[in-house]
Amino acid sequence: MRLVSRLVLSHALPVGLMVCALVVMLGSLARISSSLKEVRDAELGSLNTEEAVHRAAWAVEIAVRHGAVDCEHGRSSEDAAHVIRQRADELAAVLEAAGKPVRESMLEPVRGYQALATRVSTGDTCAHLLTTTTRLERERLDEKLTDAWISRMFELHSALLRKDEESGRAAGSALSSGIVLALVACVASVLLAQRLARTVTQPLASLSSSARSVGRGDFTVTVEAQGPLEVYELAEEMEVMRRRLAELESLKQGFLASVSHEMRTPLTKIREALALLADGAGGKLNERQARIVQIAQVACEREIRTVTTLLDLSRLRAGAPLQRKPGASVDEVLWAAVRDEDIEARERGVLVDVETPGEAAKAFLDMVLVERAIANIVRNAVAVSKKGQHVRVRRDLVPEGPSGAAGTWAQISVADQGPGIPPEIRSVIFDAFVTHSVDSSPKRVGIGLGLALAREIARAHGGDIEAADDPAGGAVFRMWLPLEDTEPTSRALPPHV
């Protein structure tokens, strides 16, 4: 699935939840509106009709009351009867025009007022109005009409309370549902964002790790990643690139091995010929000729060493098995490597100090390769040192190896008093063919194979090499080699050259 589809789906769920919350709230508002409309249509509409009937009936009561007062003051019965009949006709018209039925509790006193108005307006109105019977009947009708209206107001109040409670419940339900859905939407958004981030960042982190490994020259790592289709396609392209680079690396190593092998044979013959010349096989040499032959021998040995380094490096990177020897002494290998470089160091005026404290330990080593690795490190330290400076070589037995690996390890430290490691090559100092001049040192720029081969040899034995600046000045190289699980021998080599 492509990233855009994942994004759409991840955003659709919280949006859908928020839409549900909105729908719930709108539904609650619709219920509240429906309740209010029901009150308005059913209760208030009926109340308006009953209020008009009540007002008309009360107008009849007022007319009768005023007629009785007029009769007591000697006014004409006809005037009182006219007003009473008029109010009775208005009451009848209101009852006829009522659009909604009037409650029976209200109709009973209303009909009583209609009957009273009819009786008192017929015949001698004043005589009827001033009787005790009429007065008592008025009081009874007045009480019934008032009770009916009060009862109607109580019913309306009760109905409004019920609708208010219903509206409150609906609003509370809508609010709680909205809050719950909003919280669910927030939590879902966070979870989906985290999941989406993992589906993108984890594959990218894997690709980044693979790219770093390929950049360091490790072409054995397989580039693969799961996740969005774009990341998957990127992983496929990187895997194609890795395979192509691995093929090119294989071709390069094969080419170097082939060239080195082809160069080694004529160089060996040249070395033999120069040795014969130096021994006087072609006639005695004068001092100048002997010096020329010596210069040629040094140059030939340097080239043979370069070719041998190329062959060893190609063999190690091709995965050729090591010629390991069980029970090999780390100290013997160390001393052999130092002896090989001590002659050149003395010519340069550099002193090589060796310390092997404690007991000598055994290891499962390819002695030739390990000797060559140590020699390369010592040679590098001598090359950056000036006349009169010291190179300190020390072997220690330590309980931790590279990156804190547990076990028993032999740590070989080579420290010089040179200018240190240039910052620009600090991260690539062990890469093959990386060369850089070192200021304030007599070292010549080579082809950058010695330290690269030393690291390959250390790693092939399960160890490693690191380089750092020595606090006392100069640089220090540390190489770790794992030791056998056997008791160390009691024989130790002498502490100095």
Side-chain angles (χ1 to χ4, degrees):
M1 183 182 294
R2 290 194 174 274
L3 182 59
V4 63
S5 302
R6 293 173 183 261
L7 291 173
V8 170
L9 291 178
S10 64
H11 287 73
L13 180 58
V15 170
L17 291 174
M18 296 302 293
V19 170
C20 291
L22 180 62
V23 169
V24 170
M25 296 183 69
L26 291 177
S28 299
L29 291 175
R31 290 199 300 272
I32 294 173
S33 177
S34 176
S35 298
L36 295 176
K37 185 175 184 299
E38 182 179 347
V39 171
R40 183 181 68 249
D41 294 343
E43 301 296 337
L44 295 182
S46 175
L47 182 65
N48 290 334
T49 300
E50 292 178 357
E51 191 273 338
V53 173
H54 178 273
R55 186 184 296 275
W58 187 249
V60 173
E61 164 64 22
I62 296 299
V64 171
R65 185 178 301 177
H66 288 172
V69 173
D70 291 342
C71 289
E72 288 177 353
H73 289 82
R75 292 188 177 88
S76 171
S77 299
E78 291 297 328
D79 293 337
H82 176 70
V83 174
I84 292 172
R85 282 196 297 271
Q86 185 178 3
R87 298 293 181 268
D89 292 340
E90 291 176 356
L91 176 58
V94 169
L95 286 174
E96 185 178 355
K100 296 189 179 212
V102 181
R103 297 175 183 272
E104 187 62 31
S105 60
M106 180 71 69
L107 284 177
E108 182 180 353
V110 168
R111 293 192 184 100
Y113 274 113
Q114 286 180 320
L116 176 62
T118 300
R119 187 174 67 255
V120 299
S121 62
T122 303
D124 189 355
T125 302
C126 287
H128 288 296
L129 292 176
L130 297 177
T131 62
T132 302
T133 303
T134 301
R135 181 175 59 80
L136 293 175
E137 184 177 0
R138 284 175 43 218
E139 292 177 355
R140 180 178 61 79
L141 293 175
D142 184 12
E143 182 179 354
K144 286 186 175 181
L145 184 62
T146 301
D147 290 342
W149 185 249
I150 292 174
S151 176
R152 185 69 184 91
M153 291 297 100
F154 181 77
E155 291 178 0
L156 178 61
H157 183 262
S158 299
L160 290 175
L161 286 179
R162 288 195 303 271
K163 296 303 180 182
D164 183 67
E165 291 176 357
E166 292 178 2
S167 300
R169 287 194 298 269
S173 175
L175 182 61
S176 59
S177 300
I179 292 175
V180 170
L181 289 174
L183 291 176
V184 171
C186 293
V187 173
S189 299
V190 172
L191 294 178
L192 287 173
Q194 291 179 343
R195 181 175 178 81
L196 182 62
R198 285 196 300 270
T199 60
V200 176
T201 56
Q202 289 180 351
L204 289 179
S206 176
L207 291 179
S208 178
S209 176
S210 300
R212 284 194 298 270
S213 298
V214 173
R216 290 193 297 264
D218 182 10
F219 302 111
T220 61
V221 61
T222 301
V223 181
E224 56 183 9
Q226 301 297 325
L229 186 58
E230 292 85 350
V231 178
Y232 181 75
E233 292 174 349
L234 176 61
E236 287 187 334
E237 293 296 328
M238 290 183 63
E239 174 62 15
V240 172
M241 178 187 68
R242 182 199 66 81
R243 290 197 295 265
R244 182 56 180 163
L245 289 174
E247 293 174 0
L248 293 176
E249 179 67 15
S250 178
L251 291 174
K252 184 186 76 173
Q253 295 299 332
F255 173 77
L256 290 176
S258 177
V259 171
S260 300
H261 181 73
E262 294 297 327
M263 291 177 62
R264 189 171 187 177
T265 300
L267 285 173
T268 302
K269 292 181 178 181
I270 293 173
R271 179 172 61 181
E272 293 175 354
L274 291 173
L276 291 174
L277 286 176
D279 292 340
K284 186 177 180 179
L285 302 178
N286 59 34
E287 183 178 352
R288 184 176 181 183
Q289 291 172 336
R291 178 59 180 166
I292 293 173
V293 171
Q294 184 183 7
I295 294 173
Q297 283 181 311
V298 172
C300 183
E301 289 298 330
R302 184 180 295 112
E303 295 303 320
I304 291 175
R305 189 166 56 199
T306 300
V307 170
T308 303
T309 301
L310 282 172
L311 286 173
D312 291 339
L313 189 62
S314 299
R315 183 162 62 88
L316 287 172
R317 291 188 172 181
L322 302 177
Q323 303 297 319
R324 293 192 178 192
K325 176 183 177 182
S329 173
V330 176
D331 291 358
E332 290 181 1
V333 174
L334 172 62
W335 277 97
V338 171
R339 280 194 296 268
D340 291 342
E341 302 302 321
D342 188 56
I343 297 175
E344 183 176 349
R346 291 180 183 277
E347 291 179 355
R348 291 173 172 267
V350 178
L351 301 178
V352 181
D353 300 328
V354 181
E355 296 181 11
T356 56
E359 297 178 336
K362 296 179 180 180
F364 190 38
L365 304 177
D366 186 323
M367 299 179 66
V368 175
L369 288 180
V370 174
E371 178 185 339
R372 194 165 296 155
I374 298 174
N376 287 342
I377 299 174
V378 174
R379 186 183 311 119
N380 183 78
V382 170
V384 298
S385 300
K386 295 181 180 179
K387 185 177 181 180
Q389 292 182 335
H390 289 252
V391 173
R392 300 183 305 277
V393 182
R394 180 183 176 90
R395 187 271 303 143
D396 292 294
L397 302 181
V398 294
E400 288 187 355
S403 302
T408 304
W409 298 77
Q411 177 182 280
I412 300 171
S413 303
V414 179
D416 59 62
Q417 296 177 324
I421 303 173
E424 55 270 21
I425 64 170
R426 192 181 301 273
S427 61
V428 294
I429 192 171
F430 292 106
D431 291 351
F433 303 107
V434 173
T435 61
H436 192 278
S437 61
V438 180
D439 296 335
S440 303
S441 78
K443 181 181 179 181
R444 295 171 297 179
V445 177
I447 62 174
L449 291 177
L451 294 179
L453 177 62
R455 185 178 65 169
E456 293 289 342
I457 293 172
R459 289 182 173 179
H461 284 80
D464 205 349
I465 295 180
E466 71 171 19
D469 288 327
D470 193 338
V476 57
F477 289 80
R478 297 183 182 91
M479 181 171 71
W480 288 272
L481 295 171
L483 301 181
E484 291 182 335
D485 296 330
T486 57
E487 291 294 328
T489 63
S490 59
R491 179 173 59 88
L493 296 176
H496 297 288
V497 174

